Amino acid sequence: MTKKLWFQVGIGILIALLIIKYVIEIHWIFNPIVIIIKTIFVPVLLSGVLFYISEPLQRWLEKKGLPRWASISTIVLVFAGLVTGLLLIIGNPIAEQVNRLVQNAPSIGDKIMDTTDFILENKDNLPPQVENFIDSVTNSIQDIVVVGSKSIVNLVSGTVSTIFTLILVPFFYIFMLKDHEKFAPNIYKLFTGERRTWVKNTLEDINEVLKNYVQGQVLVSLILATMMLIGYLIIGLEYALLLAIFSFFMNMIPFIGPWLSLAPAILVAIIQDPILVIWVCVITLVAQQLESNLITPNIMGKSLDIHPLTVITIVLAAGNIGGFVAIIIGIPTYAVLKVIVKNIYEERKKIKETATKTL
Protein backbone atom coordinates (compact mmCIF):
# COMPACT_ATOMS: atom_id res chain seq x y z
CA MET A 1 0.00 0.00 0.00
CA THR A 2 2.88 2.36 0.78
CA LYS A 3 3.87 2.29 -2.92
CA LYS A 4 0.48 3.54 -4.09
CA LEU A 5 0.44 7.06 -5.51
CA TRP A 6 -2.61 8.14 -3.49
CA PHE A 7 -0.93 7.01 -0.25
CA GLN A 8 2.29 8.89 -1.02
CA VAL A 9 0.36 12.04 -1.98
CA GLY A 10 -1.69 11.82 1.22
CA ILE A 11 1.42 11.46 3.37
CA GLY A 12 3.04 14.37 1.53
CA ILE A 13 0.00 16.58 2.19
CA LEU A 14 -0.05 15.65 5.88
CA ILE A 15 3.67 16.42 6.25
CA ALA A 16 3.21 19.75 4.45
CA LEU A 17 0.30 20.68 6.74
CA LEU A 18 2.36 19.81 9.83
CA ILE A 19 5.26 21.92 8.57
CA ILE A 20 2.90 24.86 7.90
CA LYS A 21 1.34 24.45 11.37
CA TYR A 22 4.68 24.55 13.20
CA VAL A 23 6.01 27.38 11.02
CA ILE A 24 2.92 29.45 11.93
CA GLU A 25 3.43 28.70 15.64
CA ILE A 26 7.05 29.93 15.55
CA HIS A 27 6.47 32.66 12.94
CA TRP A 28 8.42 35.19 15.00
CA ILE A 29 11.64 33.40 14.04
CA PHE A 30 10.94 34.04 10.38
CA ASN A 31 9.88 37.70 10.76
CA PRO A 32 13.29 39.09 9.68
CA ILE A 33 13.24 36.85 6.58
CA VAL A 34 9.66 37.95 5.75
CA ILE A 35 10.64 41.62 6.10
CA ILE A 36 13.60 41.14 3.75
CA ILE A 37 11.43 39.32 1.19
CA LYS A 38 8.77 42.04 1.33
CA THR A 39 11.43 44.71 0.87
CA ILE A 40 13.00 43.22 -2.24
CA PHE A 41 9.95 41.49 -3.73
CA VAL A 42 8.60 44.41 -5.79
CA PRO A 43 12.05 45.56 -7.05
CA VAL A 44 12.87 41.97 -8.08
CA LEU A 45 9.45 41.64 -9.76
CA LEU A 46 9.88 44.87 -11.76
CA SER A 47 13.48 43.97 -12.61
CA GLY A 48 12.33 40.57 -13.84
CA VAL A 49 9.73 42.17 -16.12
CA LEU A 50 12.36 44.56 -17.54
CA PHE A 51 14.78 41.66 -17.99
CA TYR A 52 12.33 39.54 -19.97
CA ILE A 53 11.43 42.56 -22.11
CA SER A 54 15.08 43.24 -22.97
CA GLU A 55 16.26 39.60 -23.09
CA PRO A 56 15.65 39.20 -26.87
CA LEU A 57 17.71 42.34 -27.56
CA GLN A 58 20.55 41.12 -25.36
CA ARG A 59 20.53 37.71 -27.05
CA TRP A 60 20.60 39.37 -30.51
CA LEU A 61 23.46 41.70 -29.56
CA GLU A 62 25.59 38.89 -28.19
CA LYS A 63 24.93 36.77 -31.29
CA LYS A 64 26.43 39.69 -33.24
CA GLY A 65 29.63 39.30 -31.21
CA LEU A 66 29.24 41.92 -28.48
CA PRO A 67 30.62 40.93 -25.05
CA ARG A 68 28.33 40.90 -22.05
CA TRP A 69 29.40 44.29 -20.72
CA ALA A 70 28.83 45.88 -24.15
CA SER A 71 25.36 44.32 -24.53
CA ILE A 72 24.35 45.54 -21.06
CA SER A 73 25.67 49.04 -21.78
CA THR A 74 23.81 49.10 -25.10
CA ILE A 75 20.54 48.00 -23.48
CA VAL A 76 20.86 50.60 -20.72
CA LEU A 77 21.54 53.30 -23.31
CA VAL A 78 18.59 52.13 -25.42
CA PHE A 79 16.28 52.24 -22.39
CA ALA A 80 17.59 55.67 -21.41
CA GLY A 81 17.07 56.90 -24.96
CA LEU A 82 13.55 55.48 -25.13
CA VAL A 83 12.57 57.03 -21.80
CA THR A 84 14.09 60.38 -22.77
CA GLY A 85 12.41 60.34 -26.18
CA LEU A 86 9.11 59.30 -24.66
CA LEU A 87 9.31 62.13 -22.13
CA LEU A 88 10.13 64.63 -24.89
CA ILE A 89 7.20 63.41 -26.99
CA ILE A 90 4.51 62.93 -24.36
CA GLY A 91 5.99 64.76 -21.36
CA ASN A 92 4.49 68.14 -22.23
CA PRO A 93 1.04 66.74 -23.15
CA ILE A 94 0.96 64.72 -19.91
CA ALA A 95 2.00 67.72 -17.82
CA GLU A 96 -0.56 69.86 -19.61
CA GLN A 97 -3.36 67.34 -19.03
CA VAL A 98 -2.38 66.86 -15.37
CA ASN A 99 -2.36 70.64 -14.81
CA ARG A 100 -5.72 70.95 -16.54
CA LEU A 101 -7.09 68.13 -14.41
CA VAL A 102 -5.88 69.85 -11.24
CA GLN A 103 -7.33 73.18 -12.36
CA ASN A 104 -10.65 71.59 -13.26
CA ALA A 105 -10.84 69.52 -10.07
CA PRO A 106 -13.13 72.03 -8.26
CA SER A 107 -15.54 72.26 -11.21
CA ILE A 108 -15.46 68.48 -11.61
CA GLY A 109 -16.30 68.14 -7.93
CA ASP A 110 -19.16 70.62 -8.32
CA LYS A 111 -20.55 68.69 -11.29
CA ILE A 112 -20.38 65.46 -9.33
CA MET A 113 -22.16 67.08 -6.39
CA ASP A 114 -24.84 68.56 -8.68
CA THR A 115 -25.38 65.16 -10.28
CA THR A 116 -25.57 63.56 -6.84
CA ASP A 117 -28.09 66.14 -5.61
CA PHE A 118 -30.21 65.67 -8.72
CA ILE A 119 -30.24 61.91 -8.25
CA LEU A 120 -31.14 62.21 -4.56
CA GLU A 121 -33.95 64.66 -5.30
CA ASN A 122 -35.45 62.39 -7.95
CA LYS A 123 -34.70 59.01 -6.45
CA ASP A 124 -38.40 58.42 -5.69
CA ASN A 125 -39.02 58.28 -9.45
CA LEU A 126 -36.33 55.65 -9.98
CA PRO A 127 -36.79 51.85 -9.88
CA PRO A 128 -36.71 50.34 -6.35
CA GLN A 129 -33.38 48.57 -7.00
CA VAL A 130 -31.69 51.84 -7.97
CA GLU A 131 -33.26 53.63 -5.01
CA ASN A 132 -31.97 51.00 -2.61
CA PHE A 133 -28.51 51.28 -4.13
CA ILE A 134 -28.53 55.08 -3.71
CA ASP A 135 -29.63 54.73 -0.07
CA SER A 136 -26.82 52.29 0.64
CA VAL A 137 -24.25 54.60 -0.98
CA THR A 138 -25.59 57.59 0.99
CA ASN A 139 -25.37 55.67 4.26
CA SER A 140 -21.77 54.77 3.45
CA ILE A 141 -20.53 58.32 2.89
CA GLN A 142 -19.04 58.55 6.38
CA ASP A 143 -17.16 55.31 5.87
CA ILE A 144 -15.90 56.56 2.52
CA VAL A 145 -14.56 59.75 4.15
CA VAL A 146 -12.76 57.72 6.84
CA VAL A 147 -11.27 55.40 4.24
CA GLY A 148 -10.25 58.41 2.15
CA SER A 149 -8.40 60.01 5.06
CA LYS A 150 -6.56 56.76 5.69
CA SER A 151 -5.73 56.53 2.00
CA ILE A 152 -3.98 59.92 2.16
CA VAL A 153 -1.69 58.62 4.90
CA ASN A 154 -1.07 55.43 2.94
CA LEU A 155 -0.34 57.52 -0.16
CA VAL A 156 2.42 59.44 1.63
CA SER A 157 4.04 56.29 3.00
CA GLY A 158 3.55 54.57 -0.36
CA THR A 159 5.37 57.41 -2.13
CA VAL A 160 8.44 56.92 0.08
CA SER A 161 8.31 53.17 -0.54
CA THR A 162 7.98 53.72 -4.29
CA ILE A 163 11.03 55.97 -4.38
CA PHE A 164 13.02 53.33 -2.50
CA THR A 165 11.80 50.67 -4.92
CA LEU A 166 12.78 52.72 -7.97
CA ILE A 167 16.28 53.12 -6.54
CA LEU A 168 16.68 49.34 -6.12
CA VAL A 169 15.25 48.29 -9.51
CA PRO A 170 18.26 49.34 -11.68
CA PHE A 171 20.67 47.38 -9.47
CA PHE A 172 18.64 44.16 -9.64
CA TYR A 173 18.02 44.67 -13.35
CA ILE A 174 21.71 45.08 -14.26
CA PHE A 175 22.70 42.04 -12.18
CA MET A 176 19.99 39.99 -13.93
CA LEU A 177 21.36 41.01 -17.32
CA LYS A 178 24.87 40.18 -16.18
CA ASP A 179 24.41 36.88 -14.32
CA HIS A 180 21.06 35.43 -15.44
CA GLU A 181 22.75 32.41 -17.04
CA LYS A 182 24.31 31.43 -13.68
CA PHE A 183 21.00 31.12 -11.81
CA ALA A 184 19.81 27.75 -13.14
CA PRO A 185 23.25 26.01 -13.03
CA ASN A 186 23.67 27.03 -9.39
CA ILE A 187 20.46 25.14 -8.63
CA TYR A 188 20.70 22.00 -10.74
CA LYS A 189 24.39 21.44 -9.90
CA LEU A 190 23.19 20.45 -6.42
CA PHE A 191 21.72 17.28 -7.98
CA THR A 192 23.25 14.36 -9.84
CA GLY A 193 22.31 11.93 -12.59
CA GLU A 194 18.82 11.92 -14.04
CA ARG A 195 17.51 14.15 -11.26
CA ARG A 196 19.89 16.89 -12.36
CA THR A 197 18.59 16.55 -15.94
CA TRP A 198 15.00 16.76 -14.71
CA VAL A 199 15.68 19.87 -12.59
CA LYS A 200 17.51 21.50 -15.51
CA ASN A 201 14.65 20.80 -17.94
CA THR A 202 12.06 22.02 -15.42
CA LEU A 203 13.94 25.30 -14.85
CA GLU A 204 14.19 25.81 -18.61
CA ASP A 205 10.44 25.23 -18.98
CA ILE A 206 9.69 27.70 -16.15
CA ASN A 207 11.93 30.31 -17.76
CA GLU A 208 10.19 29.81 -21.12
CA VAL A 209 6.72 30.17 -19.58
CA LEU A 210 7.62 33.34 -17.68
CA LYS A 211 9.33 34.84 -20.75
CA ASN A 212 6.34 34.13 -23.00
CA TYR A 213 3.90 35.52 -20.44
CA VAL A 214 5.76 38.75 -19.65
CA GLN A 215 6.69 39.59 -23.25
CA GLY A 216 3.22 38.70 -24.54
CA GLN A 217 1.35 40.56 -21.80
CA VAL A 218 3.40 43.75 -22.23
CA LEU A 219 2.94 43.69 -26.01
CA VAL A 220 -0.81 43.05 -25.75
CA SER A 221 -1.18 45.87 -23.19
CA LEU A 222 0.78 48.26 -25.41
CA ILE A 223 -1.38 47.47 -28.46
CA LEU A 224 -4.60 47.86 -26.44
CA ALA A 225 -3.47 51.16 -24.92
CA THR A 226 -2.60 52.47 -28.40
CA MET A 227 -6.02 51.46 -29.70
CA MET A 228 -7.71 53.16 -26.74
CA LEU A 229 -5.67 56.34 -27.28
CA ILE A 230 -6.62 56.49 -30.97
CA GLY A 231 -10.29 55.90 -30.12
CA TYR A 232 -10.33 58.55 -27.38
CA LEU A 233 -8.65 61.09 -29.66
CA ILE A 234 -11.18 60.40 -32.43
CA ILE A 235 -14.16 61.08 -30.14
CA GLY A 236 -12.41 64.08 -28.55
CA LEU A 237 -12.32 62.71 -24.99
CA GLU A 238 -10.36 64.89 -22.57
CA TYR A 239 -7.27 63.50 -20.82
CA ALA A 240 -6.99 60.84 -23.56
CA LEU A 241 -3.26 60.34 -23.08
CA LEU A 242 -3.52 59.93 -19.31
CA LEU A 243 -6.39 57.48 -19.71
CA ALA A 244 -4.44 55.47 -22.30
CA ILE A 245 -1.36 55.26 -20.05
CA PHE A 246 -3.60 54.14 -17.18
CA SER A 247 -5.13 51.57 -19.53
CA PHE A 248 -1.67 50.23 -20.42
CA PHE A 249 -0.85 49.44 -16.78
CA MET A 250 -4.32 48.11 -15.96
CA ASN A 251 -4.30 45.77 -18.96
CA MET A 252 -1.38 43.96 -17.32
CA ILE A 253 -4.02 42.47 -15.01
CA PRO A 254 -5.80 39.58 -16.74
CA PHE A 255 -9.60 39.62 -17.02
CA ILE A 256 -10.40 42.59 -14.74
CA GLY A 257 -7.73 45.02 -15.98
CA PRO A 258 -9.69 46.33 -19.00
CA TRP A 259 -12.75 47.02 -16.85
CA LEU A 260 -10.64 48.86 -14.27
CA SER A 261 -9.30 51.08 -17.04
CA LEU A 262 -12.85 51.73 -18.30
CA ALA A 263 -14.08 53.30 -15.04
CA PRO A 264 -12.10 56.60 -15.13
CA ALA A 265 -12.82 56.98 -18.87
CA ILE A 266 -16.56 56.74 -18.21
CA LEU A 267 -16.26 59.26 -15.36
CA VAL A 268 -14.46 61.75 -17.62
CA ALA A 269 -17.04 61.17 -20.37
CA ILE A 270 -19.97 61.79 -18.00
CA ILE A 271 -18.46 65.08 -16.87
CA GLN A 272 -17.47 66.21 -20.37
CA ASP A 273 -20.58 65.07 -22.29
CA PRO A 274 -22.81 62.15 -21.26
CA ILE A 275 -23.23 61.05 -24.88
CA LEU A 276 -19.49 60.24 -24.92
CA VAL A 277 -20.15 57.40 -22.47
CA ILE A 278 -21.70 55.41 -25.31
CA TRP A 279 -18.66 55.99 -27.53
CA VAL A 280 -16.23 55.09 -24.72
CA CYS A 281 -18.10 51.81 -24.20
CA VAL A 282 -18.08 51.12 -27.95
CA ILE A 283 -14.32 51.77 -28.16
CA THR A 284 -13.67 49.50 -25.18
CA LEU A 285 -15.91 46.76 -26.58
CA VAL A 286 -14.23 46.86 -30.01
CA ALA A 287 -10.75 46.87 -28.46
CA GLN A 288 -11.61 43.92 -26.19
CA GLN A 289 -13.08 41.90 -29.04
CA LEU A 290 -9.98 42.49 -31.17
CA GLU A 291 -7.76 41.64 -28.20
CA SER A 292 -9.53 38.39 -27.26
CA ASN A 293 -10.11 37.12 -30.82
CA LEU A 294 -7.11 38.42 -32.76
CA ILE A 295 -4.31 39.99 -30.73
CA THR A 296 -3.90 37.63 -27.76
CA PRO A 297 -4.28 34.36 -29.74
CA ASN A 298 -1.57 35.46 -32.20
CA ILE A 299 0.83 36.93 -29.63
CA MET A 300 0.35 34.67 -26.60
CA GLY A 301 -0.66 31.59 -28.60
CA LYS A 302 -0.94 28.41 -26.59
CA SER A 303 2.13 29.17 -24.47
CA LEU A 304 0.24 29.12 -21.17
CA ASP A 305 -2.70 26.93 -22.18
CA ILE A 306 -4.90 28.16 -19.31
CA HIS A 307 -8.68 28.01 -19.60
CA PRO A 308 -10.45 31.42 -19.28
CA LEU A 309 -12.53 30.11 -16.36
CA THR A 310 -9.31 29.15 -14.59
CA VAL A 311 -7.96 32.67 -15.20
CA ILE A 312 -11.09 34.23 -13.65
CA THR A 313 -10.89 31.91 -10.63
CA ILE A 314 -7.20 32.63 -10.06
CA VAL A 315 -7.65 36.40 -10.35
CA LEU A 316 -10.58 36.47 -7.91
CA ALA A 317 -8.89 34.14 -5.42
CA ALA A 318 -5.56 36.00 -5.62
CA GLY A 319 -7.31 39.33 -5.03
CA ASN A 320 -8.94 38.02 -1.85
CA ILE A 321 -5.73 36.41 -0.62
CA GLY A 322 -3.06 39.00 -1.36
CA GLY A 323 -4.60 42.09 -2.96
CA PHE A 324 -3.33 43.90 -6.03
CA VAL A 325 0.16 42.37 -6.18
CA ALA A 326 -1.27 38.85 -5.86
CA ILE A 327 -3.62 39.55 -8.80
CA ILE A 328 -0.64 40.52 -10.97
CA ILE A 329 1.49 37.48 -10.11
CA GLY A 330 -1.41 35.00 -9.80
CA ILE A 331 -1.46 33.82 -13.43
CA PRO A 332 2.33 33.40 -13.89
CA THR A 333 2.57 31.66 -10.50
CA TYR A 334 -0.15 29.23 -11.55
CA ALA A 335 1.64 28.67 -14.88
CA VAL A 336 4.91 27.90 -13.07
CA LEU A 337 3.21 25.46 -10.68
CA LYS A 338 1.48 23.82 -13.63
CA VAL A 339 4.85 23.29 -15.36
CA ILE A 340 6.34 21.76 -12.20
CA VAL A 341 3.39 19.40 -11.67
CA LYS A 342 3.38 18.41 -15.34
CA ASN A 343 7.11 17.64 -15.29
CA ILE A 344 6.73 15.61 -12.10
CA TYR A 345 3.93 13.62 -13.70
CA GLU A 346 5.96 13.02 -16.88
CA GLU A 347 8.97 11.92 -14.83
CA ARG A 348 6.90 9.49 -12.77
CA LYS A 349 5.30 8.16 -15.93
CA LYS A 350 8.72 7.59 -17.50
CA ILE A 351 10.01 5.82 -14.39
CA LYS A 352 6.92 3.60 -14.31
CA GLU A 353 7.26 2.70 -17.99
CA THR A 354 10.97 1.89 -17.51
CA ALA A 355 10.22 -0.31 -14.50
CA THR A 356 7.46 -2.13 -16.36
CA LYS A 357 9.69 -2.67 -19.41
CA THR A 358 12.46 -4.03 -17.18
CA LEU A 359 10.11 -6.54 -15.57
Side-chain angles (χ1 to χ4, degrees), residues 59-358:
R59 191 165 8 102
W60 181 80
L61 290 172
E62 293 182 358
K63 278 184 179 180
K64 294 295 183 181
L66 267 69
R68 179 58 54 89
W69 67 267
S71 66
I72 294 175
S73 301
T74 303
I75 290 171
V76 171
L77 289 174
V78 168
F79 264 110
L82 287 174
V83 171
T84 303
L86 198 62
L87 289 176
L88 290 174
I89 294 171
I90 68 172
N92 288 334
I94 289 178
E96 184 180 321
Q97 292 189 11
V98 170
N99 290 332
R100 197 169 65 210
L101 181 61
V102 172
Q103 292 173 0
N104 293 338
S107 62
I108 292 174
D110 292 339
K111 289 182 180 179
I112 293 175
M113 290 300 298
D114 292 340
T115 305
T116 303
D117 293 338
F118 176 79
I119 293 174
L120 291 176
E121 290 173 0
N122 295 275
K123 70 175 183 176
D124 294 335
N125 300 324
L126 297 173
Q129 296 85 353
V130 179
E131 186 177 346
N132 292 334
F133 174 75
I134 292 171
D135 289 335
S136 64
V137 171
T138 304
N139 294 331
S140 303
I141 288 177
Q142 185 176 358
D143 296 335
I144 294 172
V145 172
V146 173
V147 172
S149 61
K150 291 181 180 179
S151 299
I152 294 174
V153 178
N154 292 334
L155 179 62
V156 175
S157 60
T159 302
V160 177
S161 177
T162 301
I163 294 173
F164 180 68
T165 298
L166 293 176
I167 293 173
L168 289 178
V169 166
F171 293 98
F172 284 110
Y173 175 54
I174 290 174
F175 276 110
M176 284 182 182
L177 290 173
K178 178 178 178 292
D179 298 325
H180 63 91
E181 293 171 343
K182 298 179 182 178
F183 176 73
N186 285 334
I187 295 178
Y188 64 69
K189 74 179 181 181
L190 302 174
F191 304 90
T192 58
E194 292 186 1
R195 184 162 295 180
R196 172 183 286 189
T197 303
W198 180 85
V199 172
K200 180 182 179 181
N201 293 335
T202 301
L203 291 174
E204 289 175 353
D205 291 342
I206 290 173
N207 178 64
E208 192 67 21
V209 165
L210 290 176
K211 180 174 69 174
N212 290 338
Y213 178 80
V214 171
Q215 293 176 356
Q217 198 68 29
V218 170
L219 186 55
V220 169
S221 298
L222 181 61
I223 294 173
L224 274 175
T226 304
M227 293 169 60
M228 304 298 283
L229 176 61
I230 294 172
Y232 293 158
L233 290 174
I234 290 174
I235 66 174
L237 188 67
E238 293 182 352
Y239 317 112
L241 186 56
L242 289 177
L243 293 171
I245 293 173
F246 180 74
S247 172
F248 169 76
F249 289 106
M250 289 299 101
N251 283 319
M252 297 285 188
I253 306 172
F255 180 63
I256 65 171
W259 307 112
L260 291 176
S261 65
L262 177 62
I266 288 180
L267 180 61
V268 171
I270 290 174
I271 295 169
Q272 182 179 344
D273 185 357
I275 196 65
L276 289 177
V277 173
I278 299 175
W279 290 110
V280 168
C281 293
V282 169
I283 291 169
T284 303
L285 182 62
V286 171
Q288 290 306 309
Q289 289 300 312
L290 289 174
E291 181 268 334
S292 59
N293 295 303
L294 183 63
I295 300 172
T296 297
N298 285 285
I299 293 177
M300 303 289 282
K302 298 289 184 181
S303 56
L304 296 183
D305 192 24
I306 302 176
H307 194 276
L309 185 59
T310 305
V311 173
I312 296 171
T313 304
I314 293 171
V315 169
L316 295 177
N320 288 325
I321 293 171
F324 183 75
V325 175
I327 291 175
I328 294 176
I329 67 173
I331 302 299
T333 300
Y334 171 82
V336 168
L337 293 176
K338 184 179 178 181
V339 166
I340 295 172
V341 172
K342 181 181 178 181
N343 284 16
I344 291 174
Y345 174 78
E346 294 293 336
E347 183 67 15
R348 286 187 60 86
K349 184 179 177 181
K350 186 170 67 175
I351 293 172
K352 186 176 180 179
E353 289 175 352
T354 304
T356 305
K357 189 181 295 183
T358 303

